[in-house]
């Protein structure tokens, strides 16, 4: 497995913390913690494995954001009980993840156009990116339901109310992510807080967007 560029220190620290937690939980026979920590570790590594498999270069900020999000969602949220300690924890994570998936959706669809700004319709790509992000959010709600049912967790918290608010903030985040894609195509700006993320990925993976230099 090849690590992205120079692996961010925060990612290495998260992996170390999870490894220690898994070892200690096995020693103390806290099997639910072993499961959640192991799943968290796996999900922080999978994007790198996926990127290597398809010869995609992950910018450091992407690798760090993925690791932080998964760690904050599963380990801190469930094992650290951050969802109950901080009322805003779930809102921030769902909004942030939707923004991220909106960007990922845009990058994936834009890749199909080989980075050609002339043939890629900005509005259509924005709508598809939004739909992708919201779909991922809906699938996550199903996963929360399944985790609560099979492993006795409490990821849904207040049930239907929690699920609906999650979907609402998912839509808000998805709008932000997909709108960044629209701005990137329509105005060709690369210095915005989100458009810079898009540009860094396209720049590192130029062979996947070989028509992006046109115009």
């Amino acid at each position: 497995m090849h690590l992205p560029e120079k692996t961010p220190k925060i990612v290495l620290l998260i992996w170390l913390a999870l490894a220690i937690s898994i070892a200690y939980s096995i020693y103390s026979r806290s099997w639910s913690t072993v499961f959640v920590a192991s799943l968290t570790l796996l999900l922080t590594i999978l994007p790198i494995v996926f990127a290597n498999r398809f010869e995609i270069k992950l910018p450091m900020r992407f690798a760090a954001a993925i690791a932080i999000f998964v760690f904050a969602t599963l380990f801190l949220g469930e094992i650290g009980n951050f969802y109950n300690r901080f009322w805003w924890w779930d809102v921030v994570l769902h909004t942030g993840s939707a923004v991220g998936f909106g960007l990922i959706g845009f990058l994936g669809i834009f890749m199909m156009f080989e980075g050609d700004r002339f043939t890629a319709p900005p509005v259509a790509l924005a709508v598809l990116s939004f739909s992708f992000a919201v779909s991922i959010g809906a699938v996550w709600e199903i996963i929360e339901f399944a985790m609560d049912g099979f492993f006795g967790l409490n990821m849904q918290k207040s049930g239907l109310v929690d699920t609906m608010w999650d979907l609402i903030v998912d839509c808000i985040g998805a709008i932000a992510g997909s709108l960044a894609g629209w701005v990137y195509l329509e105005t060709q700006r690369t210095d915005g807080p989100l458009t810079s993320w898009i540009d860094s990925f396209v720049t590192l993976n130029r062979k996947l967007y070989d028509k992006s230099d046109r115009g």
Side-chain angles (χ1 to χ4, degrees):
M1 180 179 71
H2 300 289
L3 299 179
E5 300 179 5
K6 183 179 179 182
T7 305
K9 291 182 179 179
I10 185 64
V11 176
L12 297 177
L13 288 174
I14 288 175
W15 286 348
L16 177 61
L18 290 171
I20 293 174
S21 176
I22 292 171
Y24 178 77
S25 299
I26 291 176
Y27 173 77
S28 60
R29 297 187 178 185
S30 178
W31 305 120
S32 61
T33 302
V34 171
F35 172 77
V36 174
S38 299
L39 179 62
T40 304
L41 181 60
L42 175 64
L43 291 178
T44 59
I45 294 175
L46 274 180
I48 297 175
V49 175
F50 178 86
N52 288 339
R53 172 66 179 80
F54 293 98
E55 299 183 350
I56 296 173
K57 295 180 180 179
L58 280 180
M60 285 193 293
R61 64 173 77 178
F62 274 67
I66 292 171
I68 292 172
F69 170 74
V70 174
F71 183 71
T73 300
L74 290 177
F75 191 79
L76 294 181
E78 298 301 327
I79 302 302
N81 199 32
F82 275 37
Y83 288 120
N84 291 325
R85 291 183 182 183
F86 309 105
W87 66 266
W88 44 265
W89 193 256
D90 194 42
V91 175
V92 170
L93 290 178
H94 270 276
T95 304
S97 66
V99 172
F101 282 120
L103 295 177
I104 292 172
F106 170 81
L107 288 168
I109 299 168
F110 190 40
M111 191 184 300
M112 297 179 185
F113 288 89
E114 300 179 63
D116 191 340
R117 296 173 183 268
F118 289 103
T119 60
V123 174
L125 262 67
V127 171
L128 290 173
S129 302
F130 171 83
S131 301
F132 174 80
V134 174
S135 297
I136 295 296
V139 170
W140 178 253
E141 294 305 316
I142 296 174
I143 292 174
E144 286 189 347
F145 176 78
M147 295 288 281
D148 288 354
F150 288 110
F151 298 103
L153 300 178
N154 186 30
M155 298 181 72
Q156 287 186 296
K157 305 304 181 284
S158 55
L160 179 61
V161 174
D162 177 78
T163 298
M164 292 309 301
W165 275 112
D166 286 349
L167 292 176
I168 290 172
V169 296
D170 282 344
C171 287
I172 295 173
I175 290 173
S178 58
L179 183 61
W182 178 84
V183 171
Y184 179 78
L185 283 181
E186 189 70 24
T187 69
Q188 299 189 29
R189 288 191 57 183
T190 60
D191 57 348
L194 294 179
T195 54
S196 63
W197 284 62
I198 295 174
D199 188 62
S200 67
F201 187 90
V202 172
T203 300
L204 269 182
N205 296 277
R206 186 65 66 185
K207 65 178 182 179
L208 301 176
Y209 302 91
D210 60 357
K211 297 180 182 178
S212 60
D213 289 328
R214 292 184 178 181

